[in-house]
Structure formats: structure tokens, C-alpha cells
Amino acid sequence: MTAETLSDTALTRPMTDPFGRRISYLRVSVTDRCDLRCFYCMSEDMAFLPKADLLTLEELDRLCSAFIHKGVKKLRLTGGEPLVRRNVMGLVRSLSRHLASGALGELTMTTNATQLAKYAAELADCGIRRINVSLDTLDPAKFRAITRWGDLDRVLDGIEAARTAGLAVKINAVALKNMNEDEIPVLIDWAHGKGMALTLIEVMPMGEIGEGRIDQYLPLSLLRARLAQQYTMTDLDETTGGPARYVRVAETGGTIGFITPMTHNFCESCNRVRVTCTGTLHTCLGHEDASDLRKPLRASASDEELSAAIDRAIGLKPKGHDFIIDRRHNRPSVSRHMSVTGG
């Protein structure tokens, strides 16, 4: 075998962690900036990264492509809010070449929908078939309280634009005690009535945690028991490659996903890693692990050093996260904000 063949083999070596899990799902944050300030994701006076620290769109393309060559089949673009990054659609269109070649199975995005009225049709034209929209309430006053200044109508208009463009929309809602817990049935009926799936997510102890934040933690096991009094739910075997466990609701015909990092550790089948907009690789959402991919990315025009750095990081992926809400010391499990990690 020649040195060139050895090099090609290394660049395309499938990523398997120490526990035999094949890594095929990459979530990439294209920016830490957002036009909302959801209190469970960001602080109100968030200090954003200097633009010089961010990977360029060309570097993000090259980084994503390296992961695709190593076996990633699902790529999700996140933020912050990905659609506030200047010229981000150029990146989306460039990455769509991997869909056309068959190397990538799905290109998708998580968004707050504030920019969807502008970009939905172009996203569909780039080969994106479904998106996740973060939306915790249909009450305008509650929406403004959660996001600190958001306009619910703008989000709803964006969702309708996405549906008109033919995008399948899944709503992601964080379950918040004393905030939206009584409204979950309204969200279910609204989403399912429009043919959209709904996924419920437990608050994760990341970033700043105040007394109010801790008190808003709502176990989804409790919420599901409440919903079972109103709906007939049947467990499903299906998965979209993420951590959610799904049920079918007989009364609506739609599905509900439950993401339960606190009450049920979902790590046994974890097939995903996250890369921040600065090129930092996190192999686990619930650990302070970090591997710098920006340095090897910029060190050479060849991807050999980058590929080797990815392999080293995957080799250190932990078996599971250690999320716990520390009420006694009022501190997070992970100090970085969710917006910095990538949603």
C-alpha cells in the first residue's frame, strides 16, 4: 500500500468511538449570535465572540466536508440563530453538493424562525427537506418573556413560509415549570393540526443558572403522565438520529418526541458530535470536553492533520453525560451556554 493510499484511507476512515458507536451525525454552529435571548440558552447581556475568532464560511464548508468524508450522513446547521450569519446561504448551497453526490443523506437546520419568511424557499431549493423550529409557547406575552423581546407573529409567519416552501417542520419546545407546562396540550393540538411533529425537551443545566432557572426544571416523566390523562400515546420505534423517544397520539394522529437528559440518560446510542463556530469539537453535550479543530484546519491545505485531530477527539468520546441540577450550590453541570455549544 502506497503512502498516498494510506493517506486516503485515513481521510475516509469511519469514526467509531471507544464504545463502538459509529459517529454519523454532526451538528455545526455557524454563529454564536442570535436575534432573541431565550433565558435558558443565553444571558440577557450576552458577550458574543469577536468575529475574528469565528471560522469563515469557507472554513466551515471544508470542516463539514471533512466530516462527511469520514462518514457523517446527517448534518445539522445551528447557532445561536444560523440565519443571522451574513451570507450563510452561500454555505448552505455549497454543502448541498454533498446531497447531490449522495455522500450526505440529510442537510437540515435548527432555527428560531424569525428569518424563515426570507429564506425558506431558498433553503428548500438547496435540498433541505425538514427543519426544527424552537418555539415554547403560542402566548405572545409568554413568548416575549421567554425570549426577552421576541415577536411571536414573526415566528409564526416564518413557520408558514417554511410550510409553503414544502419544508417539513418539527417544533421543539422546552418544558418550563410554572411557565408553559399547562400550555403543552395547546402546542400539541396546534402543531399536529398543521401536520407538524412536536418534541418536548427538559431544561439542561448549562451556562448561568439562577434560582428561577432551577425552579423551572420540569421532569418530562411527570409531564408525560399528565398528558396520558388526556391523550392515548403509543411508543414508537422510529428515530430521526437524535436523542428523542417518540410516541404516536391517537387523538391527533401526530407524534411527540421526549428528550430527557435529566430523567433518562439517552447516551447509549449517541451517534453525534458538535462543532462550534470557532472550530471547537465537543463530543458530548454534558461534558467540558473540547478539541481544537481550527488549528489543524488552518495549519495545512491538506486535510490530513485535521482528520487525525478528529480521530483523536472521537477516541476520547465519553460513554455518557453527567447532567445534574446542583440546587445546593446553584451552579450548572456545564459552564458554557447552549448558544455557544450549538443548539
Side-chain angles (χ1 to χ4, degrees):
M1 185 177 290
T2 65
E4 182 177 356
T5 304
L6 280 170
S7 174
D8 291 343
T9 300
L11 292 174
T12 58
R13 182 185 297 120
M15 298 174 291
T16 303
D17 74 8
F19 306 96
R21 297 170 298 195
R22 182 67 63 86
I23 306 303
S24 59
Y25 181 5
L26 175 66
R27 301 172 68 107
V28 177
S29 171
V30 300
T31 179
D32 64 326
R33 286 170 166 77
C34 187
D35 49 356
L36 301 178
R37 293 290 184 276
C38 297
F39 60 76
Y40 53 76
C41 183
M42 292 183 169
S43 64
E44 187 169 6
D45 55 348
M46 194 76 181
F48 293 112
L49 296 166
K51 291 184 178 180
D53 289 353
L54 273 61
L55 296 182
T56 66
L57 295 178
E58 293 76 16
E59 288 172 331
L60 284 167
D61 185 310
R62 182 179 158 202
L63 184 61
C64 291
S65 298
F67 274 96
I68 292 167
H69 293 151
K70 294 177 71 63
V72 160
K73 294 298 181 183
K74 178 176 178 178
L75 174 60
R76 179 177 297 279
L77 301 180
T78 70
E81 167 49 45
L83 292 175
V84 302
R85 173 93 190 241
R86 186 183 298 274
N87 298 325
V88 70
M89 291 307 304
L91 172 64
V92 176
R93 189 164 294 281
S94 180
L95 290 172
S96 70
R97 73 188 185 278
H98 296 298
L99 293 172
S101 72
L104 185 64
E106 182 178 31
L107 176 62
T108 185
M109 179 177 288
T110 295
T111 173
N112 63 22
T114 60
Q115 307 297 317
L116 275 181
K118 179 179 179 180
Y119 291 114
E122 189 174 358
L123 288 171
D125 187 59
C126 289
I128 289 182
R129 296 293 172 255
R130 65 187 185 94
I131 57 173
N132 289 1
V133 172
S134 302
L135 177 62
D136 305 319
T137 179
L138 295 173
D139 181 300
K142 287 183 183 178
F143 183 80
R144 183 170 291 275
I146 291 171
T147 63
R148 295 193 173 102
W149 58 59
D151 180 353
L152 178 62
D153 286 340
R154 185 174 181 180
V155 169
L156 296 179
D157 288 346
I159 291 172
E160 288 307 309
R163 296 177 67 233
T164 299
L167 298 176
V169 178
K170 185 181 76 172
I171 303 298
N172 287 345
V174 177
L176 302 164
K177 188 176 181 179
N178 300 324
M179 177 66 80
N180 68 351
E181 59 179 317
D182 294 333
E183 193 187 346
I184 299 302
V186 175
L187 279 168
I188 292 172
D189 293 343
W190 169 77
H192 291 179
K194 292 180 175 292
M196 302 185 296
L198 173 69
T199 292
L200 302 173
I201 307 170
E202 286 178 338
V203 168
M204 299 184 196
M206 300 181 68
E208 294 178 0
I209 293 182
E211 290 295 337
R213 170 82 171 274
I214 291 174
D215 292 340
Q216 283 160 346
Y217 165 62
L218 176 64
L220 288 191
S221 55
L222 176 61
L223 180 57
R224 177 168 175 169
R226 292 178 188 168
L227 293 175
Q229 297 175 14
Q230 183 173 347
Y231 299 103
T232 305
M233 297 181 291
T234 304
D235 289 323
L236 299 175
D237 292 331
E238 69 181 61
T239 178
T240 59
R245 302 294 182 262
Y246 292 92
V247 301
R248 175 80 62 187
V249 179
E251 289 79 3
T252 65
T255 62
I256 305 174
F258 295 89
I259 297 182
T260 54
M262 302 297 293
T263 57
H264 172 69
N265 186 300
F266 48 62
C267 305
E268 67 276 0
S269 59
C270 182
N271 65 342
R272 56 204 166 276
V273 294
R274 287 172 165 82
V275 175
T276 72
C277 52
T278 62
T280 300
L281 173 63
H282 295 288
T283 60
C284 179
L285 183 62
H287 278 261
E288 293 282 14
D289 71 311
S291 298
D292 179 18
L293 299 183
R294 182 174 60 184
K295 183 177 179 179
L297 179 69
R298 293 177 173 176
S300 170
S302 166
D303 285 343
E304 289 186 36
E305 190 172 338
L306 173 62
S307 180
I310 293 171
D311 287 338
R312 286 193 297 271
I314 299 301
L316 298 174
K317 182 174 171 65
K319 188 173 183 178
H321 64 66
D322 297 321
F323 276 142
I324 184 171
I325 288 184
D326 188 343
R327 294 180 182 273
R328 183 165 57 175
H329 297 101
N330 193 29
R331 65 191 179 195
S333 292
V334 176
S335 60
R336 64 181 184 273
H337 287 276
M338 190 69 181
S339 62
V340 174
T341 307

